[in-house]
Amino acid sequence: MAVVVVITTVVAGGLIFLLRRLNGMTSDVSIRSGTASQNRGPAASKYRSEARATGAALLIGCSVAMLMSLIASWWGQGYGLPFALAGGAGTVVGLLAYSLWPRPAWTAEVGTPVVAELEPRGVTTFARERVFVLPLTAAIMLVLGLLLAGIYSATDEHGLHRVFQRRSLSGWAVENGQVSDVQYNISSSGPFPGWYYGVPMIIGTALMICVVYWSLRRIAAAPRPPSADLFDLDRSLRSLATTFVMAASSSALAFQIAGLGIITGIVLRSSHTDPVPTIDSSLPPGTIAVEPGHSLALTLILVSILVGITAVVLLVKAVTISTNLQSLARTISNPNHEPAR
């Protein structure tokens, strides 16, 4: 139990640190009040367009995830595979819709001096590097965990690698008040994230990483405004867009990790208990925990619950950014409007 508490505390502290970093990214964004009046219209239009793009991405992504979950509910032969892929599929489709959403180009008043910015821009330019490193590390850990689970998985009655084999008690005898002739066999527990679930999810995770990178690349590579007066607004917009992409994709990734972690932890926890025969054969056998597997499985369940809470917070973060973009558009067009928090 000491190991469970220590590991859970460390993970909880790390998640709190990540959420505070993500929150700091949005709170650092400020709207420059000195923007020239002739440039407020184009700037407000850019922010409104970005708000629509983020809203559409959330709506489409969540709809795809819900559709995949519905498919899993009526397609019994899929054994929950569509549900396992729901988060990744929703993220991929949602971010594709976000990146392809039409946006107006930056414009400036005729006669305004045009300024070219020569500073190079990359995918990590508009956010702290740890915001990209932590989700990427989580994705790599997910892939490694799926590979490990695939190695230890076994086939079910349909030949699918989706169960975990364990020793189970098949019978025993009682002679002169003593337990004797204890017999064990091999039984299976599932669903377990073996190759049946692991291979599609690994492919989906790799595809998600590629789509996230492409979305961030488009944000960084978009043309700068022609007027230096709009540079601050442009940087703030890109920072919010980058935060949105990372929050939305990290939320989906965290949902996947949490779901798989809880299911895996439940299977491993039941598998790391040994049945104990009783002298009274009319009573069911008791169980004894097998360490350290039992405690590690419990730790996995607790950590997965924390990751699931983080996924909800990150999704709320993405929704908040989308609504803030619309409020910031009103602030730019009308400086007397109270800015979004």
Side-chain angles (χ1 to χ4, degrees), residues 50-85:
E50 196 67 26
R52 296 189 187 102
T54 55
L58 289 171
L59 179 61
I60 294 173
C62 291
S63 298
V64 170
M66 291 178 62
L67 178 61
M68 294 286 287
S69 300
L70 289 175
I71 293 175
S73 65
W74 62 259
W75 184 37
Q77 289 76 13
Y79 303 107
L81 179 59
F83 183 77
L85 300 174

Side-chain angles (χ1 to χ4, degrees), residues 8 34 53-54 73 90 92 108 110 133 143 164 213 220 238 269 285 294 336:
T8 305
T54 55
S73 65
V92 170
V110 177
V133 172
V143 172
F164 183 83
Y213 178 84
R238 293 176 197 255
R269 184 170 180 266
H294 189 270
N336 295 324

Side-chain angles (χ1 to χ4, degrees), residues 28-39:
D28 289 343
V29 174
S30 60
I31 296 301
R32 185 182 174 194
S33 60
T35 304
S37 59
Q38 66 269 22
N39 289 330

Side-chain angles (χ1 to χ4, degrees), residues 68-124:
M68 294 286 287
S69 300
L70 289 175
I71 293 175
S73 65
W74 62 259
W75 184 37
Q77 289 76 13
Y79 303 107
L81 179 59
F83 183 77
L85 300 174
T91 301
V92 170
V93 177
L95 288 183
L96 286 176
Y98 167 79
S99 298
L100 297 176
W101 188 270
R103 295 170 175 81
W106 282 107
T107 59
E109 193 71 15
V110 177
T112 303
V114 177
V115 179
E117 187 197 41
L118 302 179
E119 179 184 354
R121 303 189 302 272
V123 295
T124 60

Side-chain angles (χ1 to χ4, degrees), residues 249-325:
S249 58
S250 298
S251 175
L253 181 63
F255 272 122
Q256 287 185 320
I257 295 175
L260 287 174
I262 291 175
I263 292 174
T264 304
I266 292 174
V267 172
L268 293 179
R269 184 170 180 266
S270 63
S271 299
H272 284 84
T273 55
D274 264 353
V276 179
T278 61
I279 297 178
D280 187 352
S281 58
S282 63
L283 296 177
T287 57
I288 183 173
V290 179
E291 301 296 352
H294 189 270
S295 293
L296 292 177
L298 179 60
T299 302
L300 180 60
I301 295 174
L302 295 177
V303 169
S304 298
I305 292 174
L306 293 175
V307 174
I309 295 173
T310 302
V312 175
V313 174
L314 289 170
L315 181 59
V316 172
K317 186 71 174 179
V319 174
T320 302
I321 292 172
S322 182
T323 57
N324 281 351
L325 283 166

Side-chain angles (χ1 to χ4, degrees), residues 215-234:
S215 300
L216 296 174
R217 185 65 183 171
R218 285 177 63 90
I219 293 172
R224 275 291 235 175
S227 173
D229 186 52
L230 294 171
F231 279 6
D232 284 351
L233 288 174
D234 178 65

